[in-house]
Amino acid sequence: AQLDTLDIVVLAVILLGTAAYFTKGKVWGITKDPYASSFANANGGAKSGKTRNIVEKMEESGKNCVIFYGSQTGTAEDYASRLAKEGKSRFGLETMVADLEEYDYENLDSFPEDKVAMFVLATYGEGEPTDNAVDFYEFITADEPSFSNSNDPPLGNLTYVAFGLGNNTYEHYNSMVRNVDKALEKFGAHRVGEAGEGDDGAGTMEEDFLAWKDPMWAALAEKMGLEEREAVYEPIFGIVERDNLTKDSPEVYLGEPNKMHLEGTAKGPFNAHNPYIAPIAESKELFNVKDRNCLHLEVDISGSNLTYQTGDHIAVWPTNPGQEVDEMLDILDLKDKQDTVISVKALEPTAKVPFPTPTTYDAIIRYHLEICAPVSRQFLGTLAAFAPDENIKAEMVKLGSDKDYFHDKISKNHYNISRTLSVVSNGQKWANIPFSAFIEGLNKLQPRYYSISSSSLVQPKKISITAVVENQLIPGRSDAFKGVATNYLLALKQKQNGEPNPEAFGLTYELTGPRNKYDGIHVPVHVRHSNFKLPSDPTKPIILVGPGTGVAPMRGFVQERARLAESGETVGKTILFFGCRKRSEDFLYESEWGEYKKALGDKFELVTAFSREGAKKVYVQHRLKERAQEINELLQQKAYIYVCGDAANMAREVNTVLGQIIAEQRGVPESKGEEIVKNMRAANQYQEDVW
Ligand code: FAD
């Protein structure tokens, strides 16, 4: 049959849309970003049309060591920077850090023999590469990557080291570094030292990294004939005070994420480099208990070109709490200079300033640095040189080099950087630390992800968030540890609802944002596509396991199916396992489930597990077991199963229980049950959204 013009146009639009969807927008250049160019320009930095050829780049900038990173939440990027600094200061290597997304790999086969490439690679979710490493991963793990030359073996000249960041509670632990290492070896590259693996699941990431890097440096020094020298701090960023500017000068960034935001012309595409300042349409508390909070927010994206699909994630860009900003300024003796305007310039052609400038100390600390996070032991070692006196210096050196002592004095107490400095110096100011050390040594303040808890079919322009507020008591201390993003959201909710003190557990925030641009209850956000998706055929049965805030995407799924049923579609069995402590305290969306039941009739069933109501703790996995026969029958009808929430315990136990159910019900050995579960995962019939 012939297509007429309209058909072709429609088809083309569908194809493009599908391509955009599956490539996470890469064909549109969305990930290649208005942010970098706008702030690179603001910095007078990178020229446009910069090279994607790493060999050429290293040649022209005189580098002999490149550290590639695949990073999602910033940790791998941070480790890469630290390796770069250490390589330079201890061994005189000419190092550069490289975002995997910014280079091509075809010519890795002409990587010079006397140089070294380092790979710092996080594994994300279900054994996937991070967004910025997708292309690299696909290239290097292909059966026959299209290298530029015909060397045999193709990477015989490449010397490399590798470190992975993973989480042992996930099935594909550190698969990114493992697979890349395997591929590099297969193509003849020479690894120096072990391929290191850091484990976030065991909470040992930082120590795993430190334990890996020392032998790696020793092996590399030997291989490359490097001489170790007394490490001295060499800044990567230069800081210039701009006496002719004040914080009211229009070109000064007060926390605006990029140039368009500064100039008030922010427009899409909105993405990980360019947030949308979204109005919060509504916010409320979901728990009925005094000292625990769970927020429900409705984020209005109608004023933007943002879209989402049921099961996607929304990222919230937080602001640091006022007290933490003040404490940091205070301990660094920067109080008087809080609003002084500074420019930050990269002193190396390959370094990137992680925020736009000119800006102020206040804005950097408030909007751009992760100042509340745990401190790195290595960083304390670096700061020792700038201690206010010799005793404090000795203490810092000890903390930096003695793992147990560090744990006992610092980690155990959840101290962040300013608290650590202040405890170690007993309140004496640290006026000698070059501010650049913090830009280099602390992470960029990261957006936090939330599983969207609404259906895009029901409310395409409003995104629901379900977030439990982090407020943990710390043993041995009177105050509690408070999460950055969730307490910021709590404060916004309190302000929106006119609650007496718009502050979260005593924390205050600059809620109106830079130049009051977030006034009227706005929050900067972007949307991230996920693979956690309902089956395209709504008649397929689904089993949803979502205890606690793990119920977030499940609410979206049930909403969507209820709407489909209302509009006359046949919908398959939908069974939701939800768990919490007590029906009267933290039963999320209790009043809504009845509504969905009305629409779905006997196609919907809610199974609850309340862990603190009876004498025995009951969790969702126990309820699954009780329903073994039904679960097995549904799976045999090709039901999809979805698990969301706690990665460390719940998700793993659900996985185990499922294998047991299958084994028992089908009369096969447990190992066979496990294998069937594995195959379900591989076929996307078993999907996880866990954190
Ligand atoms: P943070 O400040 O980031 O702190 C988080 C944790 O880090 C603390 O609890 C603590 O254990 C540790 N920590 C931080 N600072 C220190 C320190 N100084 N010392 C020691 N330990 C420290 N959450 C939800 O509530 N609902 C959801 O739907 C949801 N969906 C998610 C989906 C995905 C894909 C991912 C990756 C995460 C999701 N999360 C969700 C978790 C969410 O992203 C945040 O991690 C969570 O809200 C905490 O953020 P925060 O900024 O408040 O806490």
Side-chain angles (χ1 to χ4, degrees), residues 241-270:
E241 294 191 357
R242 303 286 299 271
D243 299 334
N244 54 337
L245 295 174
T246 73
K247 80 178 195 349
D248 299 318
S249 310
E251 66 266 54
V252 174
Y253 289 85
L254 298 181
E256 290 90 348
N258 62 39
K259 195 159 188 169
M260 290 190 298
H261 280 272
L262 180 70
E263 292 172 346
T265 56
K267 54 180 190 314
F270 295 106

Coordinates of all heavy atoms in Angstrom, one line a residue, residues 241-270:
E241 N 39.3 37.8 43.5 CA 38.2 38.7 44.0 C 38.0 39.8 43.0 O 38.9 40.4 42.5 CB 38.6 39.2 45.4 CG 38.7 38.1 46.4 CD 38.8 38.4 47.8 OE1 38.8 39.7 48.1 OE2 38.7 37.5 48.7
R242 N 36.7 40.1 42.8 CA 36.3 41.1 41.8 C 35.8 42.3 42.5 O 34.6 42.5 42.8 CB 35.2 40.5 40.9 CG 35.6 39.2 40.2 CD 36.5 39.4 39.1 NE 35.9 40.3 38.1 CZ 35.2 39.8 37.1 NH1 35.0 38.5 36.9 NH2 34.7 40.7 36.2
D243 N 36.8 43.2 42.8 CA 36.4 44.4 43.6 C 35.4 45.3 42.9 O 34.7 46.1 43.6 CB 37.7 45.2 43.9 CG 38.7 44.3 44.7 OD1 38.2 43.4 45.4 OD2 39.9 44.6 44.6
N244 N 35.4 45.3 41.6 CA 34.5 46.2 40.9 C 33.0 45.6 40.8 O 32.2 46.3 40.3 CB 35.0 46.4 39.5 CG 35.2 45.1 38.7 OD1 35.4 44.0 39.4 ND2 35.2 45.1 37.4
L245 N 32.8 44.4 41.3 CA 31.5 43.9 41.3 C 30.9 43.7 42.7 O 31.6 43.4 43.6 CB 31.5 42.5 40.6 CG 31.9 42.5 39.1 CD1 32.0 41.0 38.6 CD2 30.9 43.2 38.3
T246 N 29.6 43.8 42.8 CA 28.9 43.5 44.1 C 27.9 42.4 43.8 O 27.6 42.1 42.6 CB 28.1 44.7 44.7 OG1 27.0 44.9 43.9 CG2 29.0 45.9 44.7
K247 N 27.3 41.9 44.9 CA 26.3 40.8 44.6 C 25.1 41.3 43.9 O 24.3 40.5 43.4 CB 26.0 40.1 46.0 CG 25.0 40.8 46.8 CD 24.8 39.9 48.0 CE 23.6 40.1 48.9 NZ 22.8 41.2 48.9
D248 N 24.9 42.6 43.8 CA 23.8 43.1 43.0 C 24.1 43.3 41.5 O 23.2 43.7 40.8 CB 23.3 44.4 43.7 CG 22.8 44.1 45.1 OD1 22.2 43.0 45.3 OD2 23.1 44.9 46.0
S249 N 25.4 43.2 41.2 CA 25.7 43.4 39.8 C 25.0 42.3 38.9 O 25.0 41.1 39.3 CB 27.2 43.3 39.5 OG 27.9 44.1 40.4
P250 N 24.4 42.7 37.8 CA 23.6 41.7 37.1 C 24.4 40.5 36.5 O 23.8 39.4 36.3 CB 23.0 42.5 35.9 CG 23.8 43.8 35.8 CD 24.4 44.0 37.2
E251 N 25.7 40.6 36.3 CA 26.4 39.5 35.8 C 26.9 38.5 36.9 O 27.5 37.5 36.6 CB 27.6 39.9 34.9 CG 28.7 40.6 35.7 CD 28.5 42.1 35.6 OE1 27.5 42.6 36.1 OE2 29.5 42.8 35.3
V252 N 26.5 38.8 38.1 CA 27.0 37.9 39.2 C 26.0 36.8 39.5 O 24.8 37.0 39.7 CB 27.3 38.7 40.5 CG1 27.7 37.8 41.6 CG2 28.4 39.7 40.2
Y253 N 26.5 35.5 39.4 CA 25.6 34.4 39.7 C 25.4 34.2 41.2 O 26.4 34.1 42.0 CB 26.3 33.1 39.2 CG 26.3 33.0 37.7 CD1 27.3 33.6 36.9 CD2 25.2 32.3 37.0 CE1 27.3 33.5 35.6 CE2 25.2 32.2 35.7 CZ 26.2 32.8 34.9 OH 26.2 32.7 33.6
L254 N 24.2 34.2 41.7 CA 23.9 34.1 43.1 C 23.4 32.7 43.4 O 22.7 32.5 44.4 CB 23.0 35.2 43.6 CG 23.5 36.6 43.4 CD1 22.5 37.6 44.0 CD2 24.8 36.8 44.2
G255 N 23.6 31.8 42.5 CA 23.1 30.4 42.7 C 22.3 30.0 41.4 O 21.9 28.8 41.3
E256 N 22.2 30.9 40.5 CA 21.5 30.5 39.2 C 22.4 29.4 38.6 O 23.6 29.5 38.5 CB 21.4 31.7 38.3 CG 20.4 32.7 38.7 CD 21.0 33.8 39.6 OE1 22.2 33.6 40.0 OE2 20.4 34.9 39.8
P257 N 21.7 28.3 38.1 CA 22.5 27.2 37.6 C 23.2 27.5 36.2 O 24.2 26.8 35.9 CB 21.5 26.1 37.4 CG 20.2 26.7 37.4 CD 20.3 28.0 38.2
N258 N 22.7 28.4 35.4 CA 23.4 28.7 34.2 C 23.0 30.1 33.7 O 22.3 30.8 34.3 CB 23.2 27.6 33.1 CG 21.7 27.5 32.8 OD1 21.0 28.5 32.7 ND2 21.3 26.3 32.6
K259 N 23.6 30.4 32.6 CA 23.4 31.8 32.0 C 22.0 32.1 31.7 O 21.5 33.3 32.0 CB 24.3 31.9 30.8 CG 24.5 33.3 30.4 CD 25.7 33.5 29.5 CE 25.9 35.0 29.3 NZ 27.1 35.3 28.7
M260 N 21.2 31.2 31.2 CA 19.8 31.5 30.9 C 19.0 31.8 32.1 O 18.2 32.6 32.1 CB 19.2 30.3 30.1 CG 19.7 30.1 28.7 SD 18.7 28.8 27.9 CE 19.0 27.4 28.8
H261 N 19.4 31.1 33.2 CA 18.7 31.3 34.4 C 19.1 32.7 35.0 O 18.3 33.4 35.5 CB 19.0 30.2 35.5 CG 18.2 29.0 35.2 ND1 17.0 28.8 35.8 CD2 18.4 27.9 34.5 CE1 16.5 27.6 35.4 NE2 17.3 27.0 34.6
L262 N 20.4 33.0 34.8 CA 20.8 34.4 35.3 C 20.1 35.5 34.5 O 19.7 36.4 35.1 CB 22.3 34.5 35.1 CG 22.9 35.8 35.5 CD1 22.9 35.9 37.0 CD2 24.4 36.0 35.0
E263 N 20.0 35.3 33.2 CA 19.4 36.4 32.4 C 17.9 36.3 32.4 O 17.2 37.1 31.8 CB 19.9 36.3 31.0 CG 21.4 36.6 31.0 CD 22.1 36.4 29.6 OE1 21.5 35.7 28.8 OE2 23.2 36.9 29.5
G264 N 17.3 35.3 33.1 CA 15.8 35.2 33.1 C 15.2 34.7 31.8 O 14.1 35.0 31.6
T265 N 16.0 34.0 31.0 CA 15.5 33.5 29.8 C 15.5 32.0 29.7 O 15.6 31.4 28.7 CB 16.4 34.0 28.6 OG1 17.7 33.6 28.8 CG2 16.3 35.5 28.4
A266 N 15.5 31.4 30.9 CA 15.5 29.9 31.0 C 14.4 29.3 30.2 O 13.3 29.6 30.4 CB 15.5 29.4 32.4
K267 N 14.8 28.4 29.3 CA 13.8 27.7 28.5 C 14.4 26.3 28.3 O 15.6 26.0 28.6 CB 13.6 28.4 27.2 CG 14.8 28.7 26.4 CD 14.3 29.3 25.1 CE 15.4 29.5 24.0 NZ 16.7 29.9 24.5
G268 N 13.5 25.4 27.8 CA 14.0 24.0 27.6 C 15.0 23.9 26.5 O 15.3 24.8 25.9
P269 N 15.5 22.7 26.3 CA 15.2 21.5 27.1 C 15.7 21.6 28.5 O 16.9 22.0 28.7 CB 16.0 20.4 26.3 CG 17.0 21.1 25.5 CD 16.5 22.4 25.2
F270 N 14.9 21.1 29.4 CA 15.3 21.0 30.8 C 15.9 19.7 31.1 O 15.3 18.7 30.7 CB 14.1 21.3 31.7 CG 13.6 22.7 31.5 CD1 12.4 23.0 30.9 CD2 14.3 23.8 32.0 CE1 12.0 24.3 30.7 CE2 13.9 25.1 31.9 CZ 12.7 25.4 31.2

